[in-house]
Amino acid sequence: MTASSTADQLARLKELGAATVHEAQGGTGALDSAVKPLHPAMAVAGPALTVDCKPADNLAIQHAVTLARPGDVLVVDAKAFLEAGPWGDILTLYAQQVGITGLVIDGSVRDSQAIVDMGFPVFCRGICIKGTGKNQPGKVNETIICGGVTINPGDVVVGDADGVVVVRRRMGHRAIRSPRAEGSPLPNRFAGRAKPGRAHEPRSQTHRTRLPLT
């Protein structure tokens, strides 16, 4: 598989969106619904750089960022611990500088508004202003469980407003070519059912005519 074809697959998976990809691969790979983007406009698709870290400690995360390659998505098992934010604006800045395309963390982050303003896609379980230690060793680029799903290094992570789904490494082409992914776009499927002259009629106008005059 060439680099360009991989890039094309990632772009297509991102375009399809997490919900469609989830259905296209048989309803598998969805992280817990509590793992959501900091902002609904955030979207990401890329290979996972996995991190296993201790609760309230981000030493392993800092190490992982130094190992990342452009296009990687950092995927962190922070043990669903919500009372500390091991990721913030400083790590976001460094991640952008080395080409990391997003973060998925089963835990909390802080500096959330700054991260949104920086335009860096972050998917997390919570937000917490409390800081973390930098003392406990962890694991990088090993199989982890994040959001209830087993994730291997290099698996493709797709996230958007609906949530996050994982596609097994080298299986992206199957999701893209599935009947669900290759089906007609939603507007086309329903175009023939719309009544002429009413498909784009604002609902508010329809109801406004029924209000009694005073």
Side-chain angles (χ1 to χ4, degrees):
M1 182 181 295
T2 66
S4 60
S5 64
T6 301
D8 290 343
Q9 284 187 7
L10 293 176
R12 179 56 176 157
L13 289 168
K14 185 176 180 180
E15 178 186 22
L16 288 171
T20 298
V21 171
H22 176 247
E23 292 187 14
Q25 59 181 11
T28 63
L31 271 64
D32 291 346
S33 61
V35 179
K36 293 291 188 184
L38 285 178
H39 190 279
M42 291 179 170
V44 72
L49 173 58
T50 57
V51 184
D52 186 332
C53 69
K54 301 295 191 294
D57 195 286
N58 72 350
L59 182 63
I61 297 175
Q62 292 190 3
H63 178 56
V65 171
T66 68
L67 302 177
R69 295 177 296 182
D72 282 347
V73 177
L74 208 61
V75 182
V76 181
D77 174 15
K79 307 300 182 285
F81 185 72
L82 299 179
E83 291 305 315
W87 186 276
D89 55 355
I90 301 301
L91 277 173
T92 297
L93 178 61
Y94 189 76
Q96 289 180 315
Q97 291 174 345
V98 300
I100 295 173
T101 57
L103 168 74
V104 177
I105 181 169
D106 195 350
S108 292
V109 301
R110 61 180 186 167
D111 305 318
S112 58
Q113 186 57 56
I115 294 172
V116 171
D117 293 342
M118 296 167 78
F120 184 75
V122 168
F123 298 78
C124 57
R125 190 176 287 271
I127 298 171
C128 182
I129 63 174
K130 300 174 187 176
T132 60
K134 298 168 178 59
N135 307 301
Q136 301 295 322
K139 299 176 183 178
V140 177
N141 259 344
E142 295 191 17
T143 299
I144 64 172
I145 296 178
C146 183
V149 177
T150 300
I151 303 176
N152 303 300
D155 286 348
V156 175
V157 179
V158 181
D160 56 24
D162 288 331
V164 181
V165 65
V166 176
V167 181
R168 295 299 167 213
R169 190 176 183 178
R170 293 193 282 277
M171 298 295 285
H173 65 286
R174 291 192 178 184
I176 291 171
R177 295 172 184 171
S178 75
R180 178 65 179 87
E182 292 184 339
S184 300
L186 185 63
N188 291 341
R189 292 207 307 267
F190 287 92
R193 304 181 191 179
K195 295 181 179 180
R198 298 197 59 178
H200 303 289
E201 182 179 351
R203 183 178 297 178
S204 59
Q205 292 183 6
T206 302
H207 289 284
R208 188 178 301 122
T209 59
R210 299 175 182 174
L211 295 177
L213 300 177
T214 57

